[in-house]
Amino acid sequence: VQLQASGGGLVQAGGSLRLSCAFSGRDFSMYFMAWFRQAPEKDREFVAAISKSGRETRYGDSVKGRFTISRDNAKNMLYLQMNSLRPEDTALYYCAAGPVLYDDPVAYNQWGQGTQVTVSS
């Protein structure tokens, strides 16, 4: 399995970004998917997760109401729409794939390389 995250960049506070994650190598629809983020000197933080069908989603408390996770199983793509961005959202964002829907990184066994999101105040 290979995961390729993209879409990060520099944005002003209050702005929006859409992250994408391209999945290849196995049947995408058989995996639960998630986004995590990690800021310098901080632990990896759960952002959002989505079920195999896309019907169930979960969000970390800090992003609820601002971020939306989605997937397109026909295109093998995972997305994260990020609105109302804040400086504290600045981090390296990773997409991950795994066998369960959970908010702990240990539940995911496939990881992408990360894409940097920087939010200026």
Side-chain angles (χ1 to χ4, degrees):
V1 171
Q2 290 190 331
L3 302 173
Q4 181 73 39
S6 62
L10 175 64
V11 63
Q12 288 188 331
S16 298
L17 279 176
R18 188 194 196 203
L19 304 185
S20 299
C21 177
F23 179 102
S24 63
R26 301 290 290 270
D27 186 348
F28 180 61
S29 66
M30 297 302 294
Y31 287 84
F32 294 91
M33 300 295 298
W35 290 97
F36 288 83
R37 67 187 183 186
Q38 190 164 16
E41 300 183 342
K42 291 190 176 181
D43 292 336
R44 193 161 293 192
E45 178 188 8
F46 172 71
V47 175
I50 190 166
S51 64
K52 292 184 283 186
S53 67
R55 284 192 288 269
E56 183 180 355
T57 57
R58 297 184 184 178
Y59 294 92
D61 289 341
S62 61
V63 306
K64 282 179 183 176
R66 301 187 298 123
F67 291 10
T68 303
I69 188 171
S70 63
R71 66 191 294 163
D72 185 336
N73 285 352
K75 296 182 179 179
N76 292 352
M77 293 293 295
L78 174 73
Y79 304 102
L80 185 68
Q81 178 66 43
M82 306 186 295
N83 299 328
S84 303
L85 283 162
R86 306 166 180 168
E88 53 264 39
D89 294 319
T90 295
L92 192 60
Y93 283 70
Y94 298 90
C95 55
V100 296
L101 184 66
Y102 200 47
D103 59 0
D104 193 310
V106 299
Y108 299 87
N109 50 16
Q110 306 291 340
W111 291 83
Q113 85 292 353
T115 184
Q116 178 68 39
V117 172
T118 303
V119 185
S120 63
S121 57

